[in-house]
Amino acid sequence: MDPYADTLRRLREAFSTGRTRPAEFRAAQLKGLRRFLQENKPLLQEALAQDLHKTFSWHTMCDSIKSTKPVNHGSQVTEGETESVFDADVSELIICQNEVDLVLRNLHTWMKDEYVAKSLVLSLDSAFIRKEPLGLVLIIAPWNYPVHLTLMPLVGALAAGNCVVLKPSELSKGTEKVLAEVLPRYLDQSCFAVVLGGPQETGQLLEHKFDHIFFTGSPRVGRIVMAAAAKHLTPVTLELGGKNPCYVDDDCDPQTVANRMAFYRYFNSGQTCVAPDYVLCSPATQERLVPALQSAITRFYGDDPQSSPSLGRIISDKHFQRLRGLLGCGRVAVGGQSDESERYIAPTVLVDVQETEPVMQEEIFGPILPIMNVRSLDEAIDFINRREKPLALYAFSNSKEVVTQMLDRTSSGIFGGNQGFAHLSLPSLPLGGVGNSGMGRYHGKFSFDTFSHHRASLLSSSGLEKLNEFHYPPYTNLRQQLIGWALGSHSCTLL
């Protein structure tokens, strides 16, 4: 018996009625999503703490980046800290609320027909792009940012007027429970459904035809999703991961680089798809960078990072064991401690790493940062270019020319010069991969466009037939010249 047939049929029937198309309905759905975030903030914070130990203060972390004095993190979060802006708020809840607010402010503008330039031949016609909903879309979300990476694409899908099936990750159990039991109360359940389960259930779901599939996860599973979608000619957006390089030039301030690199590498215990995954630098720069990283880690997380409320935990025993195995690669220069009972991996720096070792072959997705030595910028670029295209690429240098060369001579989904993944806070910039790191893009209007069909439309008058007669055969030399002239350089840009 097919467990999803009735749900999918109900959603398709709702879409066929046109219920989701009006701007008023879309706005009502988005406002419901906003209320869900506002009214269930404590519940979501609790779920995130349960899943990923997300309970640290953003302000405390930012202050520690600027400070030259160690931050004393106790084993307990104080009342003042619990009332401050948490990591969960900033990286999960606030960013989703901001996305909803942005879309609500712009929804009517984005939905409007987009009129385009015309040739002289069609100057009396109306030419425009109509933004239509795709239909029934499937969103398959990951566990590492289980609110953010589930709701951000949902915002775009609802704004574009689609019916949605949402599949949260079964690994982030606390968040999955809230999304399944509470979120549907805030949305029109004739047009929205949450389905649960693991890989087997997801495989069954993928046997059905959808009008778009949005998947966030690994390249390995991305291939499975794409193969399933191909059977129905379903378009896909694949937000995948990969090995994100971080080049550090000799001409840099090592402590500034270490501060920024450590912050973005160990944020969410390294379980971030756009985090720096490995460092390329010269041996001389490595000698300066390693103690600077040790200093940054101590300032951020204290002398005992395991007791710091600013450091999360690994999502599952399986991922913990995989990461602990990677600690055997190269030589541990900083950190290296682990505690299976807490699924704790210390912020770690590895040196003397070889390209053939597992830590350089798979996406780490944990608080481990390997350093490989290169002799020059050219060697670093060659190393990056002979591997799969990454989701993110970072370059640190006091030289603008070095950063520009790295940008010009490589390819990646996103690029950061002397910066980490702060671009995620800008809805004006898209998030998306290239090649092995994915296809498609989203955030802000890019999400609306991803979940919309851009329909080319041309409307002509049923009269004025005399004006059309010169299109018709027989084609004399003069008529051919006139048609060529009208279709050519003399275009009409009046809308």
Side-chain angles (χ1 to χ4, degrees), residues 72-101:
N72 182 20
H73 294 294
S75 59
Q76 300 293 325
V77 181
T78 67
E79 181 179 354
E81 287 175 319
T82 58
E83 292 173 351
S84 64
V85 181
F86 295 107
D87 163 46
D89 288 350
V90 174
S91 65
E92 299 269 14
L93 308 183
I94 292 175
I95 197 169
C96 291
Q97 291 173 1
N98 290 344
E99 184 84 350
V100 173
D101 291 341

Side-chain angles (χ1 to χ4, degrees), residues 249-373:
D249 187 36
D250 289 342
D251 182 11
C252 72
D253 174 54
Q255 193 59 63
T256 298
V257 174
N259 292 342
R260 299 178 187 183
M261 189 185 299
F263 176 66
Y264 289 107
R265 170 70 272 187
Y266 304 122
F267 190 87
N268 197 29
S269 271
Q271 298 169 119
T272 305
C273 61
V274 289
D277 205 75
Y278 65 94
V279 176
L280 297 173
C281 66
S282 70
T285 294
Q286 177 182 302
E287 289 298 313
R288 298 186 298 150
L289 188 61
V290 169
L293 284 166
Q294 175 68 82
S295 175
I297 290 169
T298 302
R299 293 204 314 277
F300 294 172
Y301 308 110
D303 293 324
D304 178 19
Q306 187 170 358
S307 65
S308 169
S310 301
L311 192 66
R313 296 297 185 263
I314 306 306
I315 185 67
S316 68
D317 292 335
K318 177 182 177 181
H319 284 279
F320 172 84
Q321 295 297 343
R322 179 185 62 83
L323 288 168
R324 189 157 69 173
L326 296 181
L327 293 174
C329 299
R331 174 173 61 85
V332 174
V334 177
Q337 300 84 5
S338 64
D339 185 340
E340 185 173 0
S341 66
E342 290 190 18
R343 297 199 303 269
Y344 165 76
I345 301 284
T348 298
V349 178
L350 301 177
V351 296
D352 301 333
V353 173
Q354 302 301 311
E355 184 179 358
T356 54
E357 292 184 278
V359 78
M360 287 301 296
Q361 294 299 312
E362 63 185 69
E363 185 177 7
I364 296 171
F365 231 66
I368 301 171
L369 183 64
I371 300 178
M372 282 196 61
N373 292 147

Side-chain angles (χ1 to χ4, degrees), residues 98-99 173 214 243 307 363 367 419 435 458 491:
N98 290 344
E99 184 84 350
K173 297 183 183 302
F214 189 107
K243 301 289 289 180
S307 65
E363 185 177 7
Q419 184 56 281
L458 183 68
S491 61

Side-chain angles (χ1 to χ4, degrees), residues 58-119:
W58 174 271
H59 291 321
T60 300
M61 176 65 82
C62 290
D63 290 343
S64 68
I65 292 177
K66 301 171 186 175
S67 173
T68 58
K69 298 179 182 179
V71 175
N72 182 20
H73 294 294
S75 59
Q76 300 293 325
V77 181
T78 67
E79 181 179 354
E81 287 175 319
T82 58
E83 292 173 351
S84 64
V85 181
F86 295 107
D87 163 46
D89 288 350
V90 174
S91 65
E92 299 269 14
L93 308 183
I94 292 175
I95 197 169
C96 291
Q97 291 173 1
N98 290 344
E99 184 84 350
V100 173
D101 291 341
L102 172 77
V103 174
L104 282 171
R105 289 195 303 269
N106 293 279
L107 181 60
H108 285 82
T109 299
W110 294 348
M111 286 180 62
K112 286 180 180 178
D113 292 339
E114 181 181 337
Y115 287 86
V116 299
K118 299 171 290 187
S119 67

Side-chain angles (χ1 to χ4, degrees), residues 90-321:
V90 174
S91 65
E92 299 269 14
L93 308 183
I94 292 175
I95 197 169
C96 291
Q97 291 173 1
N98 290 344
E99 184 84 350
V100 173
D101 291 341
L102 172 77
V103 174
L104 282 171
R105 289 195 303 269
N106 293 279
L107 181 60
H108 285 82
T109 299
W110 294 348
M111 286 180 62
K112 286 180 180 178
D113 292 339
E114 181 181 337
Y115 287 86
V116 299
K118 299 171 290 187
S119 67
L120 188 59
V121 172
L122 301 174
S123 60
L124 297 181
D125 295 342
S126 180
F128 57 91
I129 299 169
R130 169 69 53 88
K131 286 69 172 283
E132 296 182 339
L134 295 171
L136 177 58
V137 304
L138 170 63
I139 298 172
I140 306 175
W143 52 262
N144 57 319
Y145 290 88
V147 176
H148 174 171
L149 296 180
T150 303
L151 299 190
M152 289 287 275
L154 177 61
V155 172
L158 295 177
N162 298 285
C163 289
V164 182
V165 173
L166 196 64
K167 168 60 182 70
S169 173
E170 73 282 2
L171 294 180
S172 46
K173 297 183 183 302
T175 308
E176 178 193 46
K177 181 179 175 65
V178 176
L179 293 174
E181 296 181 2
V182 183
L183 177 58
R185 304 174 195 167
Y186 291 81
L187 300 176
D188 189 318
Q189 294 186 46
S190 69
C191 305
F192 172 78
V194 178
V195 298
L196 306 179
Q200 181 178 348
E201 290 79 8
T202 303
Q204 290 179 299
L205 190 60
L206 287 169
E207 292 175 3
H208 292 270
K209 176 179 172 56
F210 292 90
D211 297 297
H212 194 91
I213 298 175
F214 189 107
F215 169 78
T216 304
S218 69
R220 179 186 65 82
V221 181
R223 291 184 178 90
I224 296 172
V225 171
M226 192 170 184
K231 295 177 182 178
H232 303 287
L233 293 180
T234 298
V236 296
T237 298
L238 301 178
E239 293 294 335
L240 311 178
K243 301 289 289 180
N244 301 323
C246 181
Y247 175 68
V248 182
D249 187 36
D250 289 342
D251 182 11
C252 72
D253 174 54
Q255 193 59 63
T256 298
V257 174
N259 292 342
R260 299 178 187 183
M261 189 185 299
F263 176 66
Y264 289 107
R265 170 70 272 187
Y266 304 122
F267 190 87
N268 197 29
S269 271
Q271 298 169 119
T272 305
C273 61
V274 289
D277 205 75
Y278 65 94
V279 176
L280 297 173
C281 66
S282 70
T285 294
Q286 177 182 302
E287 289 298 313
R288 298 186 298 150
L289 188 61
V290 169
L293 284 166
Q294 175 68 82
S295 175
I297 290 169
T298 302
R299 293 204 314 277
F300 294 172
Y301 308 110
D303 293 324
D304 178 19
Q306 187 170 358
S307 65
S308 169
S310 301
L311 192 66
R313 296 297 185 263
I314 306 306
I315 185 67
S316 68
D317 292 335
K318 177 182 177 181
H319 284 279
F320 172 84
Q321 295 297 343

